[in-house]
Each structure stands twice: as structure tokens, then as C-alpha cells.
Amino acid sequence: MMALAAIVVDSLVYASWLFIVSIGLTLIFGVMNVLNVAHGSLYALGAYTAAWGVGMYVGGAPDAGFVLLAIMLVAAIVVGVLVGILIERGVLRWVYGRDEIVIVLATYAVFLVLEDVMKLIFGPESYIAFQPRFLFGTVSVAGIPYVGYDLLLVPLVALIGVGIWAAIHRTRPGKLLIAVIHDREIASALGINVARFFTVTFLCGAILGALGGALSAPLISVVPGIGVELIVLAFAVVVIGGLGSVEGAAIGALLVGLGRTAAVFFRPELELFVVFVVMTVVLAVRPEGLFGKPQTRRI
Amino acid sequence: MPEALLETRGLGKTFGAVVAAEDVSVSVAAGEIVGVIGANGAGKTTFCNMVTGYLTPDQGRILFRGADITGCTVGEATAAGIHRSFQIPQLFPGLTVYENLLLSVGVFGHRRPPWWRPLVRPETQQEARRVMEQYRIADSAETRVDRLPQGVRKLLDIAMAMVGGPAMILLDEPTSGISTEEKFDVMGNVIDALRSSGATVLFVEHDMDVVGRYADRVIAFREGRVLADGAPREVLENPAVIEHVVGRRPPRPTDA
Amino acid sequence: MTALRNIRPTTAGIVLAAAALLGLWPLLPAWAAHTAAVSLGGGLVALGLMILIRFGLVSFGQGLFFAIGGYAAALANQFLGITDMLVLSVAGIAAAGMIAWALGYIVRGHRGIFFAMLNLAFSMILFGILAKTVALGSTDGFSVGVPTLLGVAPGPEAGRLTFVLFGFIVISSALVAWMVDRILASPVGYAGQGVRENELRLRYLGVSARGAVHLAYIMAAKLAALGGVFTVLLIGHVTPEDTAYWTKSGEFVFVAILGGAGNVAAPFIAQTVFELVRTFALQYVPEAWQMLLGITLLLVILFLPGGLWSLVDRLRGRDA
């Protein structure tokens, strides 16, 4: 019974984390048809910047409180906006209209560059920013103690998810965005500034990626290579749910979260294996994902 | 009644709530040139898609030369001798006209070709050139297809469909997108070339003048069903066809 | 990317290149011979990707078959005591061929990013298995002894790269490149251009697009496996991280794009450039090696979509 409760809570926490680190990827793909490999770099940069910022602040003010959370948020926004603009205006706009796989390669190139940029800026050592994690004490669920920060991720991420969904489906710019998703050319002919929607979407996705990293900073040790691992995991999450679908990313996160947590409990050696087996099965049977819509062709 | 080359019996196909074909039974004799008319969404292209194996009918059978080919793949229908052209030309857009035909001639029907024999050989080159001459598109030989005018694209599309010498060819709106002045030129070219090959032709067409001039027989579709089937004059003057398909009284067919 | 006219059989060029490499053996310093042999091994993997690229497909998981080849050779060496390089190569190719045949039924219906992602997932599954299975060496992998050929064993004083191994790699790479060259010039290879340009038309020409993709997938897998065998024999070691992890697959994609799809020589040239630059970069600017790769990849995508080989075509004059 306790094991079951632990699996459920752990899965939820892990799924929330997966959702927040993947949602930007699926958002960008859904609107722009760009599968952004550099999402892994945004995550890592967000984590590095947040950890660095927290470390700097704590060094000067040992009993720093909730300011740390503000620092993390600012770090995510700064990284997302700066790097997002750089990627979208500097690279992507030169390859819009080319084959989608060419665009993937372009973002892969950006990813490679940013890997080394991070090493140059932050060096090879690890950054640890555990302080924010202890702001909320511990909470006991079914007799098991949990770190409050971890548990708070669940409602926070749920809020972000609902916010994104509402922004797309319940606001005027969101409705215009759906028009852009549906048919770029017609949207453009109707006077919608498609280029601006692309830039804004990419920035939002980039900020979300960096935010995922910033929120992860207290949970992990920030070292070179975290973006490399993250991006394949995020691919699995968004592909399982259906590339481009917000609801799908949530389902993908829950599935991967549950699968991986269960594996950790019962057969730890299958941890990574489970994730990619689910991804493979979904891709093989329903490539558009559990929530995607199959495309039909007219001749 | 002569031996049927193609015969369909009670074909049906629905897409969700849309009935694209219902109880379609037609028969085409070898050597006939059949025009197919009908408003948009009447089921003409669905009919072509089913006969060529692109879609599998929900009900009914398709017989070709007496053999049941229902549910066969596009490749199998092509191998059996049914080819088609498309409403939107299906070409290899990055290649030139000559390369399109060379590729078509070279790969046609190859299931397991020997890997050591190059595709570009004197025979394939000659054949590609011959087809270009036959369809009078040799002037554009070195032009990339995505830079061609619509008329030449349509001709190339039909020429590529004729590679391999089909027993029957389905032309899906061969004159769509071509100016009224050019229509008869293009269609005349095509029909001449097809007659000399001896292929049986079924063509979908919106222009009743074109239908009246070139078809031996006309089939009219409406909402997935066969509305009328018979001699051009008879079908084109049928009041139901005039109401639902033609929309106006057609000029007298010049020669049927 | 590549027009139809770009394929010209290059038998003479392949024979010349192989003869030159063999003839240069006594003059080559050890590092150069090693680099040349390693480049041939990696080049074979990129050659397989080049076939797929001609079909309009990019695999982000070719490390799967590279690893299968490497591990087949290492396991046969470790557990069966086989040291013959010919037998090890055949074992690697056979293992990859069978697995690609089976997986091919799944991937042949996929295109674009779905093809890329599915292969990525396959390779990550294998990585997960290799890294966590003790019997397969876990993350440490295996070491492989110095190989023999048809009973010819190197003397005790010989290093890892013997003339026998070098010659074997050069000659088999040349033979394989020649075969691929012929295949690309045959209807099978051209079917790939049909898949890339317009699959629907190809089907209506009586060619099974899925069948053609399946065939190309198996060919690419066998090439990657042979490259894996060669690499393991040259390095003497195999680990999951250096074979099946997605970053390795990404490297192969980089090389294939850098070379271009215009000629079978292109992937080998690109792999050689890659190896040379890596050697120097890791020595002088180790923290900028990936940046160099990324910038190069961007430049190729933007300004040289036909890869390095398009420079050769340009030199020869566009139309030949």
C-alpha cells in the first residue's frame, strides 16, 4: 500500500517535471513545425543561470528566502528571451520553408554550438543550488516524507499547463494562433502577421525550456551534458503524446513518469529502456501520437 | 455488347458521413474512350482511386480482364495494366522533363532489378526521348518541372502515366488549369497519342465541349451514384444531367 | 539536393584510391594510417546514411547498427574466441541485416521526422540494454584482441594496426563503395529519388516505395555494422556510449551532410576531414570542438546544401 502511494506521488512529481521541461518543445513544433533540438540547450542554460544566480545571492545573504525563486524566474526569462531571439532571428528564419528535417539539423547545429558555449561560460565544474528546495520544508504523504518543493511542482506545473491551454483556446491572440497553425498561407492572406507569431511562439517555448531548467536546478547537480540527456527524454514525452499537442504532452509526461517510476521501484535496470520502448510502440503504431491528428492527403 | 475490359459491380465507399460512391456498376469495353462527368464531389476521383488500388472499396468488386482486382495495391493495379494521370500533376518536381521521363522509364515496374545494371542506358534514354516527342514536350526537355507552365505539366503527367504501355488509362481532369484556347490542342495531342497506343481511355472532365468532342460514351456521376450512362448526345441532353451536372444546356456535340 | 545526372559510376576512381592507400602504407606515419583506416570505418556508416538521404530520409539512430556491428564482433571475439577479421565482419553484417530486416517492416512506412525519431528511439533502447546488462559489459563495454586474417596472425611486436588489418579495411571498403555506386546507378538507387521527389508517382509507376525504403534501410544498416566492426577492430574497445548513444548518431548525420549525397566518395572524404579536424581540435581547442561542428553544419545547411562534393561538381563544371 505504501509502495503504491509512493509510486503514485513519485510519478506525479516526475511527470510534472517532465511536462515542464517538454512543453516548450511541443508548443514550438505545433505552431512552427520546428523540432527544436536546441531545446536541450535552453534547459541546460536555464539550469546553469539559475544555479549560478542562486549561488551568487546565497553567498552574499545566507538566509535568503523566497527571493531565490524570483532569481530562478528571472534567470529563465532572461535566458529564454536572449537565446530564443538569437536562435529564431539568427538561424531559423534562414531555413523556414526548407524541409522539416533540414530545420531539425539546423537546430542540432545550434545545440552543438551552445554545448560548448556553456562550457566556456560556466566551466566544467558542477553547480549546486539546493537552497530553494528547502524553502517549503517537508510534507508527509501517506506516512512518507516528501520535500515540499517537489510536491509544489505538481500544482505549479498544472497551473502552467492550464494557462497555456487557456491562452491558446480562450484568448483572441490564441484563436489567431490556431489559424496560423491551421494554414499559414491563408492566415497570412487574412492579414495575420505570421512572422511575429513565430517569433513570439518561439520565445515562449524558449522561456518555458529555460524555466524547466531553472526549476530543475535545485533538484539536480548542474553539469555539462544535462541538455544532451534531457532532449531525448523530452522527445520521448512529446512524441508519445503527439508532437504539437499540449494535452498530449501532459499524457506523455504522465505515461513516461509512471513507467519510469515503476521501473525504478521494481526493475531499476529497465529505467531508460521503458521510456524508449513506449516511444517506439507509439511511433510504430500511431506515429502522430496518442493525441495527434493523422494527416490525410488529397490527390 | 463486346467483352468488358474493366467492370465494376456495386462499388461503395464512404468517408465518415460522406458517401463518395454507392452502387457504382459500370463496364468499359477495350478500345473505348469514355468521358466521366459530374459536379465537384460527385465521386469521380474516388472512382479513379478505387479502380487504381489507391482506395479499397467498402463494398463491391472490380474486375479487370475478367480477373478480380478488388483490394489490390497501386503497384499491383499498375502491373495489371491500369495507369492514371492526376488532377494535380504528380511529377518529380526537382528534376527536368527529360529526367522525369528517364526515371519513369527506368524504374517502371521494377520489383527486383539487377543492381549492377545502370538505369541510364541507351535504351532508356531513347525511350524517354521518344515519349517526349510523342507528347510534344521535347522543347521543355531541360526545364525543371517546378518551372513549367501548367499545360506542359499536364502533358508530362499523362506521358509518365503512359510509360510501360497500359491497357487502360484513367485521366483525371486532363484539361483542368489549361486555358480554353489551349484545351483542344492539348486534348487533341493526348487523344492522338493514346489512340495510336491502343489504350482504353476513361477521362474525367468538366468541359462539356471537350467531352462531347472526344468521348465515345459518357458516364455522369451525382453524389456517388451513376446518374446516366450512354452515348454522349443522349447523356448530355438527359434532363437530370443538365440539371445536376451541366447546369446549362450544352451546345450540340459536334461529332460523337 | 542532387539532380539525376549526378550519378556516374566511378569504378576507376575507387580502384585508384584503394591502390594509392595500399601503396602509401610504408610511407604513412602510424597516426596517419590509423586516421585513414578509422575514416574508412566511419565513412561506411555515413555512406549508409547517404543512401537514406538520397531517399529523402535522415536517421538519428544509425548508431544502433554501428553498435550492433561493433558488439557482434566484440561478443564473437569474447565468447566464441573468433579472431578472424573476415568472419567478424560477416557476423556484424549478418546481425545488422537481420535486425534491420525485422525493424524495416516498422520504419518503411515512416518519413521525415518520424523516421528520424523512430530510429532514435530504437538506438536508445539498445543503449539502455547495453548499458544496464552486465553480461554485455554494461557501460564499460568490451575489449577486443588484435584480429587475424585467414590464419595470418600478426607477430608479437606488431601494433594494433597491422598491414593485414589496414589492407583488409581498405580493400573491403573499396569493394563495398563500388557495389553501392552500382546500386545507386541502378533502378533501385533511382527509386530513392522517386521516394524523395514524389512517392505517389513512384507507386503509380509500379514501384513499391515502402519496399524500396526497406531495402535501403537494410543496406544502410549493413554498412553501419561493417563500419562498427572496423572501428572496434581499430580501437580495440567498444562501449555503449561511443556507439549507440544518440550523440554518436548525430555525428554520423553531421558527416553525411558535410559530404553531400553526390558521390560515394563524399562520405569518406567528409569523415576524413572530420577525423583530422577532431584530432587537432581536441589537442588545441578542446572546449570548442562541438562549436566548430555546429558552425560548420550551419554553414553547410545555409551555403552548401550539396555538401563538400558539390564543390567537386562545381570544379568539374555543372553539367558533365
Side-chain angles (χ1 to χ4, degrees):
Chain A
M1 202 48 227
M2 234 173 69
L4 188 68
I7 290 181
V8 170
V9 177
D10 281 1
S11 301
L12 268 178
V13 171
Y14 188 52
S16 308
W17 178 79
L18 284 170
F19 182 81
I20 188 67
V21 297
S22 320
I23 181 66
L25 188 65
T26 213
L27 188 70
I28 290 173
F29 184 85
V31 176
M32 308 162 70
N33 259 344
V34 170
L35 186 63
N36 181 22
V37 181
H39 191 76
S41 324
L42 284 157
Y43 163 85
L45 270 168
Y48 265 119
T49 312
W52 170 81
V54 167
M56 289 295 280
Y57 191 82
V58 171
D63 24 288
F66 292 89
V67 185
L68 297 180
L69 297 179
I71 291 177
M72 287 159 62
L73 186 66
V74 171
I77 293 173
V78 169
V79 167
V81 170
L82 284 183
V83 182
I85 286 191
L86 220 63
I87 299 176
E88 206 271 334
R89 293 284 86 189
V91 176
L92 286 180
R93 71 166 167 154
W94 304 105
V95 289
Y96 286 146
R98 301 223 356 221
D99 200 55
E100 61 182 11
I101 203 83
V102 174
I103 301 181
V104 175
L105 291 174
T107 64
Y108 172 57
V110 173
F111 166 85
L112 289 172
V113 172
L114 289 179
E115 275 298 290
D116 276 354
V117 167
M118 279 184 274
K119 275 183 215 147
L120 290 172
I121 297 177
F122 296 103
E125 65 269 24
S126 63
Y127 285 68
I128 295 164
F130 59 88
Q131 294 86 351
R133 197 160 174 230
F134 298 113
L135 287 177
F136 305 97
T138 54
V139 180
S140 169
V141 180
I144 310 164
Y146 280 92
V147 180
Y149 181 91
D150 300 7
L151 290 183
L152 274 176
L153 272 184
V154 181
L156 175 70
V157 167
L159 207 69
I160 294 175
V162 171
I164 294 170
W165 186 87
I168 295 173
H169 294 277
R170 291 281 179 272
T171 67
R172 196 182 130 76
K175 296 250 164 75
L176 294 178
L177 187 68
I178 292 175
V180 172
I181 295 170
H182 207 70
D183 194 321
R184 274 176 217 183
E185 272 147 41
I186 290 180
S188 176
L190 290 173
I192 299 176
N193 187 341
V194 174
R196 172 137 33 98
F197 268 95
F198 273 23
T199 310
V200 172
T201 305
F202 195 85
L203 284 188
C204 289
I207 292 171
L208 285 166
L211 183 64
L215 288 174
S216 312
L219 305 170
I220 57 173
S221 143
V222 184
V223 290
I226 53 171
V228 177
E229 280 173 37
L230 187 277
I231 188 64
V232 275
L233 200 57
F235 276 162
V237 169
V238 299
V239 161
I240 288 169
L243 273 168
S245 155
V246 176
E247 303 95 305
I251 296 293
L254 280 171
L255 271 176
V256 172
L258 188 64
R260 200 162 174 183
T261 309
V264 168
F265 261 80
F266 300 113
R267 297 289 299 274
E269 70 276 15
L270 295 182
E271 191 192 349
L272 199 57
F273 178 80
V274 167
V275 175
F276 291 101
V277 168
V278 178
M279 177 178 175
T280 304
V281 171
V282 170
L283 268 179
V285 181
R286 215 182 133 79
E288 66 279 5
L290 297 175
F291 268 75
K293 290 178 194 72
Q295 291 188 335
T296 47
R297 168 172 188 162
R298 280 183 59 88
I299 56 171
Chain B
M1 178 133 184
E3 172 85 355
L5 180 69
L6 175 78
E7 192 186 343
T8 68
R9 292 182 188 158
L11 286 188
K13 182 83 191 171
T14 54
F15 300 102
V18 181
V19 179
E22 195 180 350
D23 195 22
V24 176
S25 301
V26 298
S27 159
V28 179
E32 262 190 307
I33 297 181
V34 178
V36 173
I37 58 175
N40 284 327
K44 306 174 305 271
T45 297
T46 302
F47 179 75
C48 291
N49 285 345
M50 288 193 291
V51 169
T52 56
Y54 187 77
L55 289 176
T56 307
D58 299 335
Q59 289 110 36
R61 321 247 32 114
I62 302 166
L63 305 176
F64 188 67
R65 289 174 167 148
D68 192 333
I69 58 163
T70 319
C72 71
T73 64
V74 168
E76 286 160 356
T78 304
I82 309 177
H83 296 192
R84 78 178 285 187
S85 73
F86 300 84
Q87 192 178 343
I88 302 158
Q90 298 295 328
L91 313 170
F92 301 122
L95 308 180
T96 67
V97 170
Y98 172 65
E99 288 168 344
N100 264 267
L101 283 166
L102 187 59
L103 182 53
S104 302
V105 168
V107 300
F108 180 82
H110 273 303
R111 305 223 149 226
R112 294 221 169 260
W115 58 266
W116 56 85
R117 191 166 66 168
L119 174 137
V120 182
R121 309 189 296 276
E123 309 97 87
T124 53
Q125 289 171 314
Q126 254 166 31
E127 175 63 11
R129 286 206 194 88
R130 189 192 65 75
V131 179
M132 276 196 308
E133 300 289 341
Q134 192 182 4
Y135 287 85
R136 302 183 197 174
I137 46 179
D139 288 346
S140 314
E142 296 305 321
T143 310
R144 260 177 67 140
V145 161
D146 48 11
R147 293 176 194 140
L148 282 179
Q150 181 68 5
V152 186
R153 286 188 198 208
K154 293 297 272 194
L155 280 172
L156 176 58
D157 188 56
I158 294 166
M160 283 164 77
M162 285 303 289
V163 163
M168 173 159 198
I169 180 158
L170 288 75
L171 308 177
D172 195 353
E173 302 198 17
T175 67
S176 74
I178 299 180
S179 67
T180 326
E181 307 90 75
E182 284 178 320
K183 262 186 190 170
F184 287 97
D185 263 8
V186 168
M187 207 48 199
N189 263 345
V190 168
I191 294 290
D192 282 353
L194 294 181
R195 279 224 171 91
S196 70
S197 78
T200 304
V201 182
L202 188 142
F203 70 99
V204 175
E205 182 57 61
H206 277 298
D207 187 315
M208 297 307 147
D209 296 342
V210 172
V211 177
R213 181 181 301 193
Y214 295 107
D216 301 336
R217 202 177 112 207
V218 176
I219 302 173
F221 276 84
R222 179 174 181 245
E223 289 169 3
R225 292 176 150 273
V226 176
L227 182 66
D229 179 351
R233 189 179 303 236
E234 204 180 290
V235 172
L236 294 177
E237 291 182 355
N238 178 326
V241 172
I242 291 173
E243 186 189 340
H244 296 296
V245 182
V246 184
R248 61 177 170 83
R249 207 177 152 66
R252 292 179 72 78
T254 41
D255 60 75
Chain C
M1 228 187 290
T2 45
L4 202 65
R5 58 176 88 94
N6 275 3
I7 315 174
R8 259 166 282 135
T10 45
T11 309
I14 293 171
V15 172
L16 265 174
L21 272 177
L22 290 176
L24 279 173
W25 166 259
L27 306 175
L28 286 176
W31 69 267
H34 182 81
T35 304
V38 166
S39 301
L40 288 173
L44 286 172
V45 191
L47 180 62
L49 282 175
M50 178 186 120
I51 297 178
L52 293 176
I53 288 173
R54 295 187 75 100
F55 276 70
L57 299 168
V58 172
S59 162
F60 253 95
Q62 205 61 2
L64 170 74
F65 298 110
F66 184 68
I68 287 172
Y71 269 88
L75 290 171
N77 181 266
Q78 180 91 3
F79 295 110
L80 304 175
I82 297 169
T83 57
D84 192 291
M85 52 188 85
L86 190 60
V87 179
L88 293 177
S89 300
V90 171
I93 292 174
M98 279 188 291
I99 291 170
W101 172 78
L103 295 182
Y105 284 100
I106 305 176
V107 301
R108 65 192 208 162
H110 289 63
R111 303 287 181 270
I113 52 171
F114 295 109
F115 182 88
M117 287 291 109
L118 188 54
N119 281 297
L120 174 77
F122 285 150
S123 69
M124 288 304 290
I125 289 177
L126 182 69
F127 174 79
I129 294 174
L130 292 176
K132 299 282 176 174
T133 312
V134 178
L136 295 173
S138 306
T139 45
D140 294 335
F142 285 115
S143 287
V144 180
V146 177
T148 60
L149 180 63
L150 304 171
V152 181
E157 78 290 346
R160 174 155 282 279
L161 183 62
T162 58
F163 179 66
V164 174
L165 181 55
F166 183 77
F168 177 72
I169 289 177
V170 169
I171 290 171
S172 23
S173 300
L175 197 68
V176 167
W178 178 78
M179 281 176 70
V180 171
D181 197 36
R182 301 297 300 197
I183 292 171
L184 289 181
S186 81
V188 179
Y190 279 96
Q193 306 219 21
V195 172
R196 195 187 67 218
E197 293 276 336
N198 189 340
E199 204 166 305
L200 186 66
R201 168 56 79 185
L202 190 69
R203 286 168 63 195
Y204 273 101
L205 286 166
V207 180
S208 159
R210 289 171 172 229
V213 168
H214 200 160
L215 216 59
Y217 188 67
I218 295 174
M219 276 196 279
K222 288 176 175 171
L223 289 167
L226 188 61
V229 175
F230 289 173
T231 306
V232 166
L233 295 182
L234 285 164
I235 309 285
H237 197 77
V238 61
T239 66
E241 182 94 29
D242 289 331
T243 53
Y245 202 58
W246 80 268
T247 46
K248 191 68 187 173
S249 300
E251 260 178 42
F252 290 128
V253 171
F254 170 85
V255 173
I257 300 286
L258 175 65
N263 190 287
V264 290
F268 294 102
I269 294 170
Q271 185 74 41
T272 310
V273 171
F274 178 86
E275 295 292 342
L276 286 174
V277 175
R278 175 162 65 184
T279 308
F280 291 107
L282 289 185
Q283 197 163 351
Y284 299 109
V285 278
E287 56 291 310
W289 157 238
Q290 284 182 300
M291 195 185 301
L292 201 63
L293 288 187
I295 292 170
T296 310
L297 183 55
L298 272 183
L299 292 177
V300 171
I301 289 172
L302 292 177
F303 302 112
L304 204 61
L308 290 177
W309 190 261
S310 63
L311 292 176
V312 178
D313 273 342
R314 221 173 279 180
L315 282 178
R316 287 187 187 169
R318 243 168 236 278
D319 293 54

